[in-house]
Amino acid sequence: MLKIERIPTLGDNYTYLVICDQTGEAAAIDAPEADPVVHKVDQLGVKMTKMLSTHHHWDHSGANPDLSQRWGIPVFGHAADSDRLPGLTDGLEEGDTISVGNQLARILYIPAHTRNHIAYVFDESDAVFCGDTLFAAGCGRLFEGTPADMYRALVEKLGALPDRTRVFCGHEYTESNLVFAAHIDPDNRAVADKLEEVRAKRANKAADWHDATSDEMTVPTTIGEERRINPFMRAADAEQLGRIRLEKDNF
């Protein structure tokens, strides 16, 4: 019932267009560029009703003002980011819900990458949009949070979602993340197999990410798969996660 379009933006970002099949209403998630989103909306003929942001960083929100004005629609993000999230009109907190047509998302508060980071969980469609907190086989840098924050976000919150939940993250970082995962966990057969699969998908990638096709995109993964391959989600505790993150920062 929830159709999800992956839109390549900037050099390696994912913007998502989520569409209610029943009503044709749509929302864009994490849009740094306007033109690719406008092109996809025009191509599909959907009705835009909302802009959603996971966090304030420009490469996830820069197009909010332009697209909000173009379609006369509100911009949603964490309530505490009113002073730094471009175009924010409506603040959200953990436990709030937001609709796209007949589809409902609940808000998870997952600070670590930034202090006001949120995720949008569409439970009935088995999909989570988690920005730069959880990546395929990795996690975001701790710009405004601590290892304990990231452990709570990854293991205790996102990790509590069903294994079948599809993970739609903010960047195409999967191959490099898996190289690091193989370094951390060299005997993990699941990591080795996934790295081989991802390298095959990325072997014929477009010269310009804007021209990327579904054949080369490695997102989404699933929560179940992340439990097997993601060294951060597999960390025993916050202290271990912090050590792994520091090593990744210098890898």
Side-chain angles (χ1 to χ4, degrees):
M1 292 188 294
L2 185 72
K3 183 178 180 181
I4 301 168
E5 293 284 339
R6 297 166 295 178
I7 304 173
T9 48
L10 299 181
D12 54 27
N13 280 70
Y14 282 106
T15 296
Y16 298 103
L17 188 67
V18 295
I19 306 159
C20 173
D21 271 354
Q22 295 172 314
T23 66
E25 295 180 26
I29 302 176
D30 284 358
E33 292 183 285
D35 287 350
V37 179
V38 171
H39 175 74
K40 182 61 70 172
V41 168
D42 289 347
Q43 180 185 57
L44 298 176
V46 296
K47 180 183 179 182
M48 289 297 294
T49 61
K50 295 176 177 70
M51 299 295 299
L52 310 179
S53 290
T54 59
H55 62 296
H56 75 282
H57 284 166
W58 176 88
D59 64 327
H60 293 260
S61 61
N64 284 347
D66 287 348
L67 294 177
S68 174
Q69 183 176 19
R70 180 185 185 92
W71 292 306
I73 58 177
V75 175
F76 290 81
H78 194 272
D81 266 344
S82 60
D83 61 339
R84 59 181 190 167
L85 199 159
L88 183 68
T89 61
D90 293 75
L92 297 166
E93 301 276 6
E94 176 153 287
D96 288 344
T97 58
I98 190 169
S99 63
V100 179
N102 295 333
Q103 304 303 304
L104 193 68
R106 60 186 174 93
I107 306 305
L108 282 185
Y109 180 53
I110 50 170
H113 181 66
T114 69
R115 65 178 179 269
N116 298 318
H117 202 300
I118 58 175
Y120 300 86
V121 184
F122 290 84
D123 290 297
E124 290 188 0
S125 296
D126 296 325
V128 58
F129 298 86
C130 51
D132 285 0
T133 297
L134 170 63
F135 290 127
C139 75
R141 288 179 179 267
L142 302 178
F143 289 128
E144 298 180 0
T146 67
D149 292 331
M150 184 62 82
Y151 187 84
R152 281 191 293 271
L154 288 186
V155 178
E156 297 176 3
K157 289 192 173 182
L158 293 171
L161 296 172
D163 281 357
R164 65 180 180 274
T165 306
R166 294 169 294 164
V167 176
F168 293 91
C169 59
H171 293 270
E172 180 57 63
Y173 290 165
T174 312
E175 185 174 357
S176 62
N177 284 343
L178 284 165
V179 170
F180 177 73
H183 165 73
I184 290 293
D185 197 1
D187 297 324
N188 188 326
R189 188 69 244 174
V191 170
D193 290 344
K194 186 66 176 180
L195 180 55
E196 182 178 356
E197 173 193 324
V198 166
R199 280 177 166 161
K201 288 180 73 72
R202 300 291 293 159
N204 298 309
K205 61 186 177 184
D208 186 338
W209 174 242
H210 290 94
D211 299 324
T213 67
S214 60
D215 290 340
E216 70 185 77
M217 296 179 183
T218 66
V219 174
T221 59
T222 66
I223 291 293
E225 185 168 50
E226 291 307 306
R227 292 189 214 279
R228 296 189 293 273
I229 67 173
N230 192 317
F232 301 99
M233 188 169 276
R234 291 165 59 81
D237 52 34
E239 183 180 359
Q240 184 183 36
L241 186 151
R243 290 197 304 269
I244 298 171
R245 183 64 255 182
L246 183 60
E247 187 169 354
K248 178 67 164 65
D249 290 345
N250 297 287
F251 186 67

